[in-house]
Amino acid sequence: MGAVVWYRNDLRVDDHEALRSAYEEHDAIRAVYIKHQKKRDFERGTQQARFEQETLENLANHLSQIGITLDILEGKVHEVLTSYVQPDETVYFHKMTGTEEAASEKYIEDKYTTRSFETQTLHRREDIGSDELKRVFTAFRKRVEAKGTFYDPLDPPSDIHLMKEESVDADPEIAFPFRGGESAGRARLQEYLAEPVFTYKETRNGFLRNDSSKLSAWLANGSLSPRRVMAELQKAEREKGANESTYWLYFELLWRDFFHLTMRETGSRLFRSGGLQEGQRTWKRDEAAVERWIEGETGVPFVDAFMNEIRETGWMSNRGRQIVASYLIHELKQDWRIGAQYFEQQLVDYDVASNYGNWAFIAGVGNATRTPRFDPVFQQQRYDPNQDFTKRWT
Ligand code: FAD
């Protein structure tokens, strides 16, 4: 009787309860990852595909150190797993946010012996209490902060040594010059916590490499565990002193938790035109307008610069995401879900809950009904007064 570790958005060996448990309980272990078959309108961005490929290569290397082969398959999750898993094997996996993800879990649980674990978020549903709390960020934050404790990350099985990542020597104007994989994610975490984090609160609206952590890409595909990030952040605070900036990194990680726990609660509701709000909404769908937005040809330089950046690099800063989303929704009056789908295909850090949660928030159909609007001209004067960023990308 063997075990299958079913890899999903948890592409690491560190803090991996499923791998650790399978390793302790079985001699024969296989690992499998099923590449998603996209059925959307946009083609997948090359940077997103590259990042996934590098992540899988790094993971396969780490697993090979303990004699586990990572099989990378393509197809529908149900069908692939049905032909891959033997009836007497136990399937180990981490639970993931998302309705399709939950449906796959149920299918596997009904068919096989399974062991499942929760490590995708810092906090868990049972830490929060009432359902209502999850729909209001401030109440959620106060609740988890009052609890004040964190789940400790687990070390990888002792025979695995994380490969060392070469330092990245890249064009300083490329905000996200990083490779995929756990090794690169851990290297970036150390680089960021060594110094830049201590001024995060002042720099986080900027557009360059060290203006924000850039951890989202590794967190999204799980090559970094949020519990490991938090443990290392607390270590840096103990060694060098906590300040408002170090707290703010945790504060932002709480937004990620909030969107995940909300989606786990509300299922597929967020994908409707009216999002989490009651009723349907009518939005325009003008292909030519969307095309100009995607191609960076709206004629608004700040918007076009961000759209060129994401198309070429798979990355856009949080400020940029807010500005271009607001432009698509409030100026072009287009369906917010078209923008969310485009980001889904392009972003190296695409994460279903954070992406759809943020888009819905700006469209006024998320957890709150107010509709934040970002005037690109005012935003440029404030955040790119010398137009360095705009000139670089237009
Ligand atoms: P930092 O500023 O260093 O923040 C640290 C971490 O906190 C991030 O890595 C991320 O995990 C989390 N975080 C920060 N801000 C948010 C936020 N608003 N919502 C949720 N988590 C947050 N984030 C994604 O990870 N994937 C997405 O697909 C995604 N789509 C977005 C779409 C729109 C329209 C908008 C406005 C925001 C989106 N975000 C998304 C949130 C945010 O823009 C990114 O998490 C952030 O820019 C990543 O950069 P960073 O790692 O340097 O973040």
Side-chain angles (χ1 to χ4, degrees):
M1 276 198 342
V4 168
V5 179
W6 172 26
Y7 268 101
R8 317 171 77 201
N9 284 334
D10 54 353
L11 296 170
R12 61 180 184 267
V13 291
D14 178 52
D15 194 27
H16 203 291
E17 282 193 65
L19 174 67
R20 271 280 295 256
S21 305
Y23 193 62
E24 281 161 15
E25 293 161 18
H26 294 267
D27 292 327
I29 304 170
R30 304 188 293 152
V32 63
Y33 175 74
I34 303 159
K35 282 192 175 186
H36 294 284
Q37 274 190 331
K38 297 276 177 185
K39 41 186 183 308
R40 312 276 191 224
D41 298 340
F42 301 104
E43 254 182 53
R44 190 179 192 195
T46 49
Q47 298 299 336
Q48 192 186 84
R50 168 193 60 81
F51 197 81
E52 180 190 55
Q53 187 54 33
E54 290 164 353
T55 302
L56 292 172
E57 283 167 15
N58 190 245
L59 176 63
N61 265 315
H62 287 147
L63 289 174
S64 70
Q65 293 177 25
I66 51 172
I68 299 177
T69 302
L70 176 66
D71 293 313
I72 299 166
L73 306 174
E74 270 185 68
K76 292 203 172 88
V77 174
H78 299 184
E79 289 169 11
V80 173
L81 282 181
T82 305
S83 58
Y84 182 83
V85 181
Q86 301 301 311
D88 61 352
E89 284 178 312
T90 304
V91 184
Y92 289 73
F93 65 93
H94 285 146
K95 287 193 179 280
M96 294 289 143
T97 307
T99 43
E100 286 169 20
E101 287 75 2
S104 305
E105 285 161 17
K106 173 139 189 0
Y107 178 84
I108 296 307
E109 280 167 343
D110 288 348
K111 211 169 159 64
Y112 297 99
T113 307
T114 57
R115 299 273 317 274
S116 64
F117 306 88
E118 301 249 4
T119 58
Q120 205 180 11
T121 49
L122 273 177
H123 301 283
R124 292 182 187 164
R125 188 171 163 171
E126 59 265 27
D127 300 334
I128 319 301
S130 111
D131 289 348
E132 205 45 46
L133 273 181
K134 290 190 217 77
R135 304 209 172 91
V136 185
F137 175 74
T138 305
F140 162 79
R141 177 178 63 75
K142 287 186 177 158
R143 183 73 173 243
V144 293
E145 284 185 351
K147 182 173 158 266
T149 51
F150 296 95
Y151 297 98
D152 289 330
L154 292 171
D155 287 331
S158 58
D159 296 328
I160 300 182
H161 303 286
L162 288 191
M163 290 162 60
K164 224 174 144 34
E165 177 72 6
E166 304 293 315
S167 65
V168 178
D169 186 15
D171 176 351
E173 289 180 341
I174 300 285
F176 194 90
F178 306 104
R179 286 163 51 84
E182 182 167 10
S183 298
R186 289 296 284 271
R188 173 61 187 168
L189 180 61
Q190 294 316 323
E191 176 185 55
Y192 192 70
L193 295 183
E195 201 181 318
V197 70
F198 295 98
T199 52
Y200 171 67
K201 195 153 183 244
E202 293 84 58
T203 61
R204 70 198 178 89
N205 281 305
F207 311 125
L208 299 177
R209 170 177 168 150
N210 280 341
D211 287 343
S212 66
S213 72
K214 307 294 181 290
L215 295 177
S216 54
W218 296 284
L219 285 168
N221 72 16
S223 43
L224 255 188
S225 130
R227 308 195 303 199
R228 178 63 66 194
V229 171
M230 200 57 215
E232 292 295 312
L233 176 62
Q234 289 180 315
K235 187 165 158 240
E237 287 182 323
R238 281 194 303 275
E239 288 171 359
K240 295 191 175 174
N243 66 10
E244 267 198 300
S245 284
T246 57
Y247 167 75
W248 214 259
L249 192 70
Y250 166 63
F251 179 93
E252 293 297 344
L253 286 167
L254 279 187
W255 271 106
R256 178 180 177 275
D257 263 28
F258 177 67
F259 283 125
H260 274 263
L261 295 175
T262 302
M263 185 171 263
R264 288 189 183 201
E265 199 59 31
T266 56
S268 60
R269 279 186 58 193
L270 194 58
F271 303 116
R272 300 175 322 135
S273 62
L276 299 181
Q277 301 298 318
E278 291 304 322
Q280 299 295 313
R281 294 278 183 93
T282 309
W283 305 93
K284 282 195 205 163
R285 282 186 168 248
D286 174 347
E287 271 184 34
V290 171
E291 190 64 19
R292 283 195 297 276
W293 178 77
I294 288 176
E295 294 301 326
E297 292 169 358
T298 66
V300 179
F302 208 29
V303 171
D304 292 345
F306 289 121
M307 295 308 293
N308 291 338
E309 183 188 27
I310 192 177
R311 211 181 48 253
E312 281 185 37
T313 70
W315 178 261
M316 194 192 293
S317 63
N318 184 57
R319 180 65 37 187
R321 295 179 201 202
Q322 290 174 323
I323 293 166
V324 303
S326 168
Y327 189 79
L328 186 77
I329 298 165
H330 301 306
E331 310 308 324
L332 301 179
K333 315 270 186 219
Q334 298 299 305
D335 191 329
W336 63 276
R337 293 169 303 173
I338 302 176
Q341 275 183 28
Y342 179 65
F343 272 27
E344 177 173 350
Q345 303 293 297
Q346 290 295 318
L347 283 174
V348 286
D349 69 1
Y350 168 67
D351 169 270
V352 62
S354 305
N355 189 53
Y356 282 84
N358 275 287
W359 272 97
F361 177 68
I362 294 175
V365 297
N367 303 75
T369 47
R370 75 186 170 86
T371 46
R373 207 170 173 141
F374 298 82
D375 171 5
V377 175
F378 171 78
Q379 294 284 322
Q380 182 175 38
Q381 284 161 359
R382 178 150 183 203
Y383 294 106
D384 193 25
N386 301 324
Q387 303 197 22
D388 295 336
F389 177 82
T390 309
K391 284 183 196 146
R392 164 66 182 85
W393 290 103
T394 48

